[in-house]
Amino acid sequence: MLYYVFTLVFFLFDYFILAMGLNIQYGATGILNFAYIGFVAVGAYMTGVAGMPSNITGQHYILGLGLPFPLNTLFGGLSAMAMAVIVALITLRRLRTDYLAIVLISLSLVLYDFCNNFVPLFNGADGLYNVPAPLTKALGLNVNSFIVVFACVTGVVALILWFVMARVTNAPLGRSLRAIRDDSTVAGALGKDVFRMQLKSMLIGSFYAGIGGGLLIQFGGSFNPTAWLPGETFVVFAVLIVGGAGNNIGMFVGALLVETLLIHLPAFLPEIPGHPGLIEYIDSALVGIVLMVMLWTRPQGIVPERVRRAVTFGVPDRPEIDARELGSAEVLGAPVAAATEGAK
Amino acid sequence: MSAANATAGSPPLTVDALRCEGLTKAFQGVHAVNGAAFEVPEGKITALIGPNGAGKTTVVNILSGAMSSDSGRVFLGDTEITNWPAYKIARQGLLRTFQLSRELGGLTVLENLLAAPAVQAGDSLVNVLFRPGLVRRQERENAERALELLEVYRLYRHRDTRARELSGGQKKLLEIARAVMASPKLLLLDEPMAGVNPALIEVIGEYILDLKRSGVTVMMIEHNLGIVEKICDHVVVLAEGRTLATGSMSELRSNTAVVSAYLGEVINAGAAH
Ligand SMILES: Nc1ncnc2c1ncn2[C@@H]1O[C@H](COP(=O)(O)OP(=O)(O)OP(=O)(O)O)[C@@H](O)[C@H]1O
Ligand SMILES: [Mg+2]
C-alpha cells in the first residue's frame, strides 16, 4: 500500500517538474515543442550512462562514468540543454511557430529511431537497465524503502525547481518571454533579442526535462524506447493544458489530475475479468477526452495564468487618479471605430 | 561643424535624426517601395503622407528593421543601420508603433509598458537568480515611471486589465505610451489617429506635441492634412514608393504643377475623411 502511494507521489512530482519545463517553453514563450519527450529521454539516458559503471556486461552504452547522485542527474539535465542548443540553432532562427512544431516532431522521430536502432549509444531497443538506485547503499535501503525515500527526494527537487521557476517567470525575463509569445514582432520592436530570449526559454525548459528524465530512469532502474514513444509529449501537454498554461501551480494541479489520477491510479485497479489490458486503453482514451473537454470549456486551464497587479511591483495604489480619469469618458468611452486601414 | 557655420554666418544647420536613400522593396513583383529617399529633421514633427498603398507602412517597417529592404541605405544620426535587426535599431533609440494596434494581449496594460525598456537587469537569468534585490529595485523604478505615463495617457484605471480587453481607442493610446516608455530619441508613429473619435484625435495631437517639446523627434504617417497642417513642421510625400516632394506644408502647396496636382488629390482624399 505504502509502495503504491509513494509511486504515485513520485510520478506526481516528476511530472510537475516536466510540466514546468514545458510550461516555460510553451506557456510562457509560445514555443510548441512537440519534441519535448525527446529532451526527457536525453536526460534519462545521459543520467543513466553518467551513473552506471563502464563495465556492465550485456549492455552497450557510451560514457559509463559512475557518477553518484545527484551529479549524474545534473549531467542529464545539462545534456538535455546541450541538445536544446543544437535544436534551437537548427529551428528557431528560421521558422515560424507552426513550421517549428512540425520540424520538432520530425526531429523527435529521428532521435527516437536513432536511439532505438543504434545500439552502441544507449543499448538500442533494449535500453538501459540495472541503473544504480541512488542512496540505497548510503542509507541501507531495500526495494520498498527506496521508493519512499526517492519519492521524497523527487519532491524536494521539485520544490526547489518550482522556487527557481517562479522567480524566473515573475521576473522581467518571464515578462519578456510572454511578450514574445503574444507578439514577437512587437517584442523585437521594443528591443528584445527574440532569438536569444527563445533560446533561454528552450534551455531552461530542457534542463527541467532532463532532470525529470534523470529522476525517472533512477526510480525505475531502467529506460528504453517504449518509455518515450513520441506520443508521450502529448501527455505532458495534457498536464499543462488541464493545469493551466502559464501558471506554475497549475502544473502541479495538472500533474495531480492527469498523470497521477488518470494515468497511474487506474493501473493499480484490479483487471476487468476477461479483458486484460482494457483499463490501460480506457485511460489513454480518457486523457484524450479530458484534453478535448478542457480545450472546449476551459482553455485557460484549472488554474489560469496569473494577473500581475500593479501593487505587486511595490508602488502604492492611487485611487484618486482612478476617480479623476472618469472625466475622460467622453474621449475614451465613446464607441471607437475599429482602427482599420485609416482613410479608406 | 557648428563653428564653420557660425563664421559663415549661415543659419544653424538642421541636423537629421534619420536619413534614408534609394530604398526599394518588392513583394512578389509588386514594387511597394521604389527608391524612397528623405530626411527626418531632429527635434521636429515630420509627416509621411501619400495615398493608400503608397508604401508608407513598408517604409516604416524597413526603417525600424521589421523588414529588410531590397536595396538602399538608412542612417540613424551618423550610424548606418541598414537592415539591422529590429531589436538593435530599437536599442539605438528608434521606436515605432503599428498601424493596427498590436498590444501584448496576455500582459496587463502596466506590463505592456514594463516590457518596453530594451535593456533590463531582470532579463538576465544570472541577475534573476543571484541579484534579486537589484532586479526588484529596477522593477519598482520602472513601475513608478510606467504608472506616471499611464496617468498621462489616461490608462491608469486600466493598469491591471489585460491589454486584449481594451477598446480600440485605448489600444491606440497604449501603443503610443508603450513606445514612449522605451525612452525613444526618434519615434515613428504609423497612423496614430486612424479610426479614433475626434475628441481623442485632439488628445493624441497634444501628446505628440508634448513629445516634441520634451525633445523627441517624431515622424508620423497621417492621412488627415488638417492635422498635418496643425502639428507637423515638415512633410514627406510618398507616392508609388517614391518620394514625390518634401518641405513644409506651405512649400508643398507652391511646388510645381505636377506636385500640386498630386497633392490636390491627396488633399481631396484627406478632406473626404
Ligand atoms: N507583407 C506584404 N506582402 C505583400 N504585399 C504587401 C505587403 N505589405 C505591403 N504590401 C503591398 O505593398 C504596397 C504598399 O503597402 P503599404 O502598407 O506600405 O502602404 P501604405 O502607404 O501604408 O498604405 P495605407 O495608407 O493603406 O496604410 C501595397 O500595394 C500593399 O498591398
Ligand atoms: Mg499603412
Side-chain angles (χ1 to χ4, degrees):
Chain A
M1 181 60 203
L2 205 64
Y3 159 82
Y4 290 141
V5 171
F6 278 90
T7 299
L8 292 180
V9 168
F10 169 78
F11 280 106
L12 168 62
F13 283 116
D14 197 57
Y15 270 73
F16 179 35
I17 296 170
L18 295 184
M20 282 192 287
L22 184 61
N23 188 38
I24 192 169
Q25 296 178 348
Y26 175 68
T29 322
I31 301 168
L32 265 178
N33 186 359
F34 284 161
Y36 192 70
I37 202 68
F39 293 88
V40 178
V42 166
Y45 282 130
M46 292 303 268
T47 300
V49 299
M52 290 158 83
S54 57
N55 57 356
I56 292 186
T57 46
Q59 294 191 55
H60 304 275
Y61 51 85
I62 55 167
L63 299 177
L65 303 177
L67 287 179
F69 179 84
L71 291 181
N72 57 347
T73 317
L74 206 58
F75 186 83
L78 294 176
S79 304
M81 284 172 97
M83 186 167 93
V85 174
I86 298 167
V87 169
L89 288 176
I90 300 172
T91 58
L92 277 180
R93 269 218 197 268
R94 301 235 143 258
L95 300 170
R96 291 203 330 255
T97 324
D98 37 358
Y99 292 119
L100 178 70
I102 295 167
V103 171
L104 282 168
I105 289 194
S106 316
L107 274 177
S108 86
L109 293 173
V110 170
L111 183 73
Y112 187 83
D113 275 343
F114 191 70
C115 293
N116 200 8
N117 293 305
F118 186 62
V119 178
L121 190 61
F122 302 124
N123 208 29
D126 291 339
L128 304 174
Y129 47 89
N130 293 335
V131 177
L135 308 171
T136 39
K137 277 222 186 75
L139 302 178
L141 303 174
N142 64 25
V143 174
N144 281 341
S145 57
F146 166 73
I147 288 171
V148 175
V149 169
F150 200 67
C152 295
V153 167
T154 301
V156 171
V157 172
L159 288 179
I160 294 169
L161 290 178
W162 170 71
F163 177 80
V164 170
M165 187 60 88
R167 194 172 257 190
V168 169
T169 48
N170 285 327
L173 175 56
R175 182 172 57 229
S176 295
L177 298 180
R178 285 181 286 123
I180 288 167
R181 171 198 68 192
D182 287 355
D183 193 328
S184 60
T185 305
V186 169
L190 293 173
K192 307 292 171 202
D193 186 344
V194 172
F195 172 73
R196 218 184 125 95
M197 287 284 178
Q198 287 177 325
L199 180 61
K200 277 189 204 182
S201 167
M202 279 294 281
L203 287 176
I204 298 169
S206 304
F207 181 73
Y208 279 58
I211 297 288
L215 294 169
L216 209 53
I217 191 175
Q218 294 174 93
F219 184 74
S222 65
F223 195 81
N224 62 54
T226 57
W228 60 291
L229 294 164
E232 283 293 312
T233 292
F234 296 98
V235 175
V236 190
F237 265 100
V239 169
L240 181 143
I241 286 163
V242 168
N247 192 308
N248 294 318
I249 300 291
M251 297 308 103
F252 185 80
V253 174
L256 181 67
L257 294 179
V258 175
E259 181 61 18
T260 310
L261 296 185
L262 277 183
I263 295 187
H264 282 282
L265 194 57
F268 295 121
L269 296 177
E271 285 289 352
I272 298 166
H275 300 279
L278 182 60
I279 287 183
E280 217 171 293
Y281 285 114
I282 291 176
D283 71 45
S284 349
L286 219 54
V287 172
I289 291 167
V290 166
L291 197 56
M292 279 193 287
V293 169
M294 279 306 287
L295 286 172
W296 273 323
T297 59
R298 200 175 159 84
Q300 71 275 34
I302 291 173
V303 193
E305 187 172 278
R306 219 153 55 76
V307 172
R308 288 155 176 89
R309 298 193 180 284
V311 282
T312 62
F313 294 95
V315 185
D317 258 329
R318 292 150 71 202
E320 77 281 2
I321 303 176
D322 289 3
R324 185 151 21 104
E325 232 176 73
L326 290 172
S328 67
E330 80 270 14
V331 177
L332 291 173
V336 174
T340 48
E341 294 292 304
K344 272 172 202 163
Chain B
M1 190 175 77
S2 54
N5 281 336
T7 47
S10 56
L13 214 92
T14 54
V15 183
D16 294 325
L18 181 97
R19 180 161 62 85
C20 62
E21 48 191 52
L23 292 184
T24 66
K25 178 79 186 178
F27 298 106
Q28 291 107 34
V30 179
H31 292 276
V33 180
N34 202 358
F38 56 85
E39 287 90 37
V40 178
E42 191 162 295
K44 302 240 163 71
I45 301 177
T46 299
L48 182 61
I49 65 172
N52 289 128
K56 304 180 295 295
T57 296
T58 308
V59 164
V60 165
N61 282 338
I62 292 170
L63 298 179
S64 63
M67 270 177 195
S68 60
S69 61
D70 296 339
S71 64
R73 306 173 78 184
V74 182
F75 295 87
L76 187 63
D78 295 329
T79 314
E80 177 162 4
I81 59 164
T82 311
N83 293 342
W84 278 21
Y87 80 91
K88 279 195 182 160
I89 294 178
R91 289 176 185 198
Q92 294 286 315
L94 187 157
L95 271 290
R96 60 86 54 96
T97 66
F98 295 87
Q99 181 168 357
L100 302 171
S101 308
R102 289 175 84 156
E103 73 285 356
L104 300 168
L107 273 58
T108 66
V109 168
L110 174 62
E111 284 183 304
N112 265 263
L113 266 65
L114 289 176
V119 182
Q120 303 187 25
D123 272 338
S124 136
L125 186 59
V126 174
N127 286 340
V128 170
L129 295 181
F130 302 111
R131 304 175 72 184
L134 170 73
V135 172
R136 209 173 313 119
R137 201 166 346 109
Q138 202 183 63
E139 276 284 86
R140 205 188 40 241
E141 283 164 17
N142 282 340
E144 274 167 13
R145 202 164 88 76
L147 288 167
E148 278 168 22
L149 272 176
L150 288 179
E151 183 185 350
V152 172
Y153 283 85
R154 304 179 189 221
L155 291 167
Y156 186 87
R157 203 150 47 102
H158 305 286
R159 60 196 176 282
D160 291 334
T161 308
R162 283 196 209 273
R164 71 167 77 93
E165 289 158 23
L166 295 179
S167 74
Q170 289 164 341
K171 286 180 182 175
K172 280 283 188 194
L173 290 175
L174 178 61
E175 189 85 14
I176 302 172
R178 187 177 62 200
V180 172
M181 180 71 191
S183 312
K185 290 192 211 118
L186 171 61
L187 190 54
L188 308 182
L189 303 170
D190 194 348
E191 304 201 20
M193 299 162 182
V196 304
N197 68 46
L200 189 51
I201 287 180
E202 287 288 318
V203 171
I204 294 176
E206 277 306 315
Y207 289 145
I208 294 171
L209 287 169
D210 274 343
L211 284 169
K212 173 185 163 183
R213 275 176 225 124
S214 65
V216 180
T217 304
V218 179
M219 181 175 91
M220 57 186 278
I221 298 177
E222 183 51 63
H223 281 279
N224 185 331
L225 291 180
I227 296 168
V228 172
E229 181 105 63
K230 211 161 130 193
I231 69 173
C232 298
D233 310 295
H234 184 72
V235 182
V236 174
V237 187
L238 207 66
E240 290 168 4
R242 286 190 193 84
T243 312
L244 200 65
T246 62
S248 69
M249 205 61 189
S250 48
E251 279 165 3
L252 290 183
R253 284 224 179 72
S254 58
N255 212 321
T256 65
V258 183
V259 172
S260 30
Y262 204 87
L263 200 57
E265 200 179 299
V266 179
I267 289 170
N268 292 339
H273 181 14

Tab-separated table of all heavy atoms in Angstrom, chain A residues 217-252:
chain	number	residue	atom	x	y	z
A	217	ILE	N	14.556	7.558	-14.768
A	217	ILE	CA	15.349	6.343	-15.019
A	217	ILE	C	15.871	5.764	-13.709
A	217	ILE	O	15.958	4.550	-13.532
A	217	ILE	CB	16.515	6.602	-16.012
A	217	ILE	CG1	17.144	5.280	-16.459
A	217	ILE	CG2	17.566	7.517	-15.419
A	217	ILE	CD1	18.208	5.436	-17.527
A	218	GLN	N	16.156	6.624	-12.724
A	218	GLN	CA	16.686	6.106	-11.461
A	218	GLN	C	15.586	5.490	-10.609
A	218	GLN	O	15.807	4.543	-9.872
A	218	GLN	CB	17.381	7.229	-10.682
A	218	GLN	CG	18.622	7.714	-11.406
A	218	GLN	CD	19.245	8.906	-10.728
A	218	GLN	OE1	20.122	8.753	-9.902
A	218	GLN	NE2	18.772	10.090	-11.078
A	219	PHE	N	14.392	6.041	-10.741
A	219	PHE	CA	13.278	5.487	-9.967
A	219	PHE	C	12.950	4.082	-10.445
A	219	PHE	O	12.791	3.161	-9.644
A	219	PHE	CB	12.040	6.381	-10.114
A	219	PHE	CG	10.877	5.934	-9.283
A	219	PHE	CD1	10.872	6.118	-7.909
A	219	PHE	CD2	9.777	5.310	-9.869
A	219	PHE	CE1	9.799	5.702	-7.139
A	219	PHE	CE2	8.703	4.886	-9.097
A	219	PHE	CZ	8.718	5.095	-7.726
A	220	GLY	N	12.873	3.906	-11.777
A	220	GLY	CA	12.504	2.590	-12.312
A	220	GLY	C	13.690	1.668	-12.491
A	220	GLY	O	13.524	0.456	-12.663
A	221	GLY	N	14.913	2.243	-12.519
A	221	GLY	CA	16.099	1.419	-12.722
A	221	GLY	C	16.337	1.051	-14.174
A	221	GLY	O	17.309	0.370	-14.500
A	222	SER	N	15.441	1.471	-15.076
A	222	SER	CA	15.634	1.167	-16.489
A	222	SER	C	14.926	2.209	-17.343
A	222	SER	O	14.057	2.942	-16.860
A	222	SER	CB	15.069	-0.222	-16.812
A	222	SER	OG	13.670	-0.214	-16.623
A	223	PHE	N	15.335	2.259	-18.607
A	223	PHE	CA	14.706	3.200	-19.537
A	223	PHE	C	14.976	2.700	-20.944
A	223	PHE	O	16.112	2.416	-21.309
A	223	PHE	CB	15.323	4.599	-19.360
A	223	PHE	CG	14.515	5.700	-19.997
A	223	PHE	CD1	13.399	6.233	-19.358
A	223	PHE	CD2	14.867	6.199	-21.254
A	223	PHE	CE1	12.658	7.241	-19.941
A	223	PHE	CE2	14.125	7.212	-21.838
A	223	PHE	CZ	13.021	7.731	-21.187
A	224	ASN	N	13.921	2.539	-21.730
A	224	ASN	CA	14.099	2.088	-23.118
A	224	ASN	C	13.071	2.756	-24.011
A	224	ASN	O	12.188	3.464	-23.521
A	224	ASN	CB	13.997	0.559	-23.173
A	224	ASN	CG	12.630	0.088	-22.732
A	224	ASN	OD1	11.614	0.540	-23.262
A	224	ASN	ND2	12.605	-0.777	-21.733
A	225	PRO	N	13.182	2.575	-25.319
A	225	PRO	CA	12.329	3.343	-26.235
A	225	PRO	C	10.817	3.221	-25.991
A	225	PRO	O	10.074	4.125	-26.375
A	225	PRO	CB	12.718	2.795	-27.613
A	225	PRO	CG	14.152	2.440	-27.451
A	225	PRO	CD	14.246	1.868	-26.055
A	226	THR	N	10.352	2.174	-25.355
A	226	THR	CA	8.899	2.121	-25.110
A	226	THR	C	8.471	3.169	-24.071
A	226	THR	O	7.305	3.494	-23.962
A	226	THR	CB	8.450	0.741	-24.579
A	226	THR	OG1	9.184	0.463	-23.387
A	226	THR	CG2	8.676	-0.354	-25.601
A	227	ALA	N	9.443	3.687	-23.326
A	227	ALA	CA	9.109	4.674	-22.289
A	227	ALA	C	8.922	6.069	-22.865
A	227	ALA	O	8.414	6.950	-22.190
A	227	ALA	CB	10.206	4.697	-21.223
A	228	TRP	N	9.378	6.278	-24.083
A	228	TRP	CA	9.261	7.642	-24.608
A	228	TRP	C	8.778	7.656	-26.054
A	228	TRP	O	9.320	8.329	-26.912
A	228	TRP	CB	10.551	8.420	-24.417
A	228	TRP	CG	11.779	7.871	-25.069
A	228	TRP	CD1	12.451	6.735	-24.735
A	228	TRP	CD2	12.491	8.449	-26.172
A	228	TRP	NE1	13.534	6.562	-25.554
A	228	TRP	CE2	13.593	7.602	-26.439
A	228	TRP	CE3	12.332	9.587	-26.949
A	228	TRP	CZ2	14.515	7.854	-27.460
A	228	TRP	CZ3	13.250	9.841	-27.960
A	228	TRP	CH2	14.324	8.983	-28.217
A	229	LEU	N	7.745	6.884	-26.306
A	229	LEU	CA	7.099	6.979	-27.610
A	229	LEU	C	6.747	8.453	-27.830
A	229	LEU	O	6.335	9.139	-26.891
A	229	LEU	CB	5.834	6.123	-27.625
A	229	LEU	CG	6.095	4.620	-27.490
A	229	LEU	CD1	4.830	3.874	-27.124
A	229	LEU	CD2	6.714	4.078	-28.769
A	230	PRO	N	6.925	8.944	-29.060
A	230	PRO	CA	6.709	10.385	-29.292
A	230	PRO	C	5.353	10.892	-28.785
A	230	PRO	O	5.224	12.053	-28.411
A	230	PRO	CB	6.829	10.496	-30.812
A	230	PRO	CG	7.818	9.427	-31.166
A	230	PRO	CD	7.515	8.280	-30.237
A	231	GLY	N	4.358	10.028	-28.701
A	231	GLY	CA	3.057	10.435	-28.185
A	231	GLY	C	3.094	10.875	-26.729
A	231	GLY	O	2.209	11.595	-26.266
A	232	GLU	N	4.134	10.462	-26.012
A	232	GLU	CA	4.249	10.838	-24.597
A	232	GLU	C	4.312	12.359	-24.417
A	232	GLU	O	3.923	12.888	-23.389
A	232	GLU	CB	5.495	10.211	-23.973
A	232	GLU	CG	5.357	8.734	-23.629
A	232	GLU	CD	4.351	8.495	-22.508
A	232	GLU	OE1	4.436	9.197	-21.474
A	232	GLU	OE2	3.478	7.634	-22.674
A	233	THR	N	4.838	13.053	-25.438
A	233	THR	CA	4.869	14.519	-25.382
A	233	THR	C	3.475	15.060	-25.079
A	233	THR	O	3.310	16.031	-24.341
A	233	THR	CB	5.377	15.097	-26.719
A	233	THR	OG1	6.750	14.764	-26.862
A	233	THR	CG2	5.246	16.616	-26.751
A	234	PHE	N	2.463	14.390	-25.648
A	234	PHE	CA	1.113	14.935	-25.506
A	234	PHE	C	0.543	14.708	-24.114
A	234	PHE	O	-0.361	15.412	-23.700
A	234	PHE	CB	0.204	14.390	-26.616
A	234	PHE	CG	0.694	14.867	-27.947
A	234	PHE	CD1	1.486	14.059	-28.754
A	234	PHE	CD2	0.444	16.174	-28.352
A	234	PHE	CE1	1.992	14.536	-29.955
A	234	PHE	CE2	0.945	16.651	-29.550
A	234	PHE	CZ	1.723	15.834	-30.357
A	235	VAL	N	1.087	13.729	-23.403
A	235	VAL	CA	0.689	13.581	-22.002
A	235	VAL	C	1.163	14.806	-21.213
A	235	VAL	O	0.422	15.367	-20.405
A	235	VAL	CB	1.261	12.281	-21.389
A	235	VAL	CG1	0.947	12.209	-19.899
A	235	VAL	CG2	0.706	11.065	-22.119
A	236	VAL	N	2.400	15.247	-21.492
A	236	VAL	CA	2.891	16.434	-20.793
A	236	VAL	C	2.070	17.659	-21.213
A	236	VAL	O	1.736	18.506	-20.389
A	236	VAL	CB	4.403	16.667	-21.043
A	236	VAL	CG1	4.920	17.757	-20.117
A	236	VAL	CG2	5.188	15.391	-20.841
A	237	PHE	N	1.728	17.733	-22.508
A	237	PHE	CA	0.866	18.832	-22.943
A	237	PHE	C	-0.492	18.772	-22.239
A	237	PHE	O	-1.065	19.806	-21.890
A	237	PHE	CB	0.668	18.817	-24.468
A	237	PHE	CG	1.640	19.711	-25.184
A	237	PHE	CD1	2.764	19.176	-25.795
A	237	PHE	CD2	1.457	21.084	-25.225
A	237	PHE	CE1	3.683	19.992	-26.437
A	237	PHE	CE2	2.361	21.916	-25.866
A	237	PHE	CZ	3.478	21.365	-26.474
A	238	ALA	N	-1.011	17.543	-22.032
A	238	ALA	CA	-2.301	17.405	-21.348
A	238	ALA	C	-2.192	17.920	-19.909
A	238	ALA	O	-3.070	18.639	-19.423
A	238	ALA	CB	-2.759	15.952	-21.364
A	239	VAL	N	-1.096	17.585	-19.242
A	239	VAL	CA	-0.865	18.090	-17.878
A	239	VAL	C	-0.893	19.617	-17.894
A	239	VAL	O	-1.562	20.262	-17.077
A	239	VAL	CB	0.500	17.598	-17.333
A	239	VAL	CG1	0.871	18.329	-16.051
A	239	VAL	CG2	0.470	16.084	-17.108
A	240	LEU	N	-0.211	20.189	-18.885
A	240	LEU	CA	-0.072	21.644	-18.971
A	240	LEU	C	-1.422	22.313	-19.256
A	240	LEU	O	-1.770	23.315	-18.628
A	240	LEU	CB	0.942	21.959	-20.072
A	240	LEU	CG	1.282	23.415	-20.349
A	240	LEU	CD1	2.762	23.516	-20.688
A	240	LEU	CD2	0.482	23.980	-21.490
A	241	ILE	N	-2.167	21.743	-20.180
A	241	ILE	CA	-3.418	22.396	-20.582
A	241	ILE	C	-4.495	22.234	-19.515
A	241	ILE	O	-5.222	23.181	-19.208
A	241	ILE	CB	-3.864	21.860	-21.957
A	241	ILE	CG1	-2.950	22.471	-23.019
A	241	ILE	CG2	-5.323	22.214	-22.239
A	241	ILE	CD1	-2.977	21.769	-24.331
A	242	VAL	N	-4.562	21.061	-18.915
A	242	VAL	CA	-5.535	20.862	-17.846
A	242	VAL	C	-5.185	21.759	-16.652
A	242	VAL	O	-6.042	22.430	-16.080
A	242	VAL	CB	-5.586	19.376	-17.413
A	242	VAL	CG1	-6.367	19.213	-16.120
A	242	VAL	CG2	-6.207	18.538	-18.519
A	243	GLY	N	-3.905	21.817	-16.306
A	243	GLY	CA	-3.494	22.616	-15.149
A	243	GLY	C	-3.652	24.107	-15.389
A	243	GLY	O	-4.089	24.844	-14.512
A	244	GLY	N	-3.314	24.563	-16.570
A	244	GLY	CA	-3.416	25.989	-16.892
A	244	GLY	C	-2.093	26.518	-17.417
A	244	GLY	O	-1.194	26.805	-16.633
A	245	ALA	N	-2.004	26.666	-18.741
A	245	ALA	CA	-0.762	27.140	-19.355
A	245	ALA	C	-0.372	28.487	-18.757
A	245	ALA	O	-1.212	29.365	-18.583
A	245	ALA	CB	-0.938	27.267	-20.869
A	246	GLY	N	0.893	28.639	-18.421
A	246	GLY	CA	1.374	29.906	-17.910
A	246	GLY	C	1.340	30.010	-16.399
A	246	GLY	O	1.714	31.029	-15.845
A	247	ASN	N	0.880	28.974	-15.729
A	247	ASN	CA	0.824	29.026	-14.264
A	247	ASN	C	1.568	27.831	-13.657
A	247	ASN	O	1.213	26.677	-13.910
A	247	ASN	CB	-0.636	29.033	-13.802
A	247	ASN	CG	-0.763	29.377	-12.330
A	247	ASN	OD1	-0.110	28.763	-11.490
A	247	ASN	ND2	-1.579	30.359	-12.029
A	248	ASN	N	2.591	28.113	-12.851
A	248	ASN	CA	3.404	27.021	-12.295
A	248	ASN	C	2.619	26.138	-11.337
A	248	ASN	O	2.785	24.920	-11.334
A	248	ASN	CB	4.642	27.592	-11.611
A	248	ASN	CG	5.576	28.254	-12.606
A	248	ASN	OD1	5.802	27.733	-13.694
A	248	ASN	ND2	6.079	29.421	-12.254
A	249	ILE	N	1.768	26.751	-10.516
A	249	ILE	CA	0.939	25.959	-9.602
A	249	ILE	C	0.004	25.062	-10.418
A	249	ILE	O	-0.263	23.912	-10.065
A	249	ILE	CB	0.101	26.888	-8.692
A	249	ILE	CG1	1.008	27.793	-7.867
A	249	ILE	CG2	-0.822	26.070	-7.787
A	249	ILE	CD1	1.821	27.091	-6.810
A	250	GLY	N	-0.465	25.619	-11.533
A	250	GLY	CA	-1.308	24.834	-12.439
A	250	GLY	C	-0.628	23.550	-12.887
A	250	GLY	O	-1.283	22.525	-13.090
A	251	MET	N	0.690	23.603	-13.026
A	251	MET	CA	1.416	22.415	-13.456
A	251	MET	C	1.316	21.311	-12.404
A	251	MET	O	1.231	20.134	-12.727
A	251	MET	CB	2.891	22.756	-13.713
A	251	MET	CG	3.116	23.746	-14.828
A	251	MET	SD	2.311	23.306	-16.379
A	251	MET	CE	0.897	24.393	-16.365
A	252	PHE	N	1.297	21.711	-11.139
A	252	PHE	CA	1.150	20.729	-10.064
A	252	PHE	C	-0.256	20.128	-10.109
A	252	PHE	O	-0.430	18.912	-10.037
A	252	PHE	CB	1.409	21.401	-8.709
A	252	PHE	CG	1.392	20.442	-7.565
A	252	PHE	CD1	2.495	19.653	-7.294
A	252	PHE	CD2	0.254	20.316	-6.760
A	252	PHE	CE1	2.478	18.746	-6.236
A	252	PHE	CE2	0.232	19.415	-5.705
A	252	PHE	CZ	1.346	18.629	-5.445
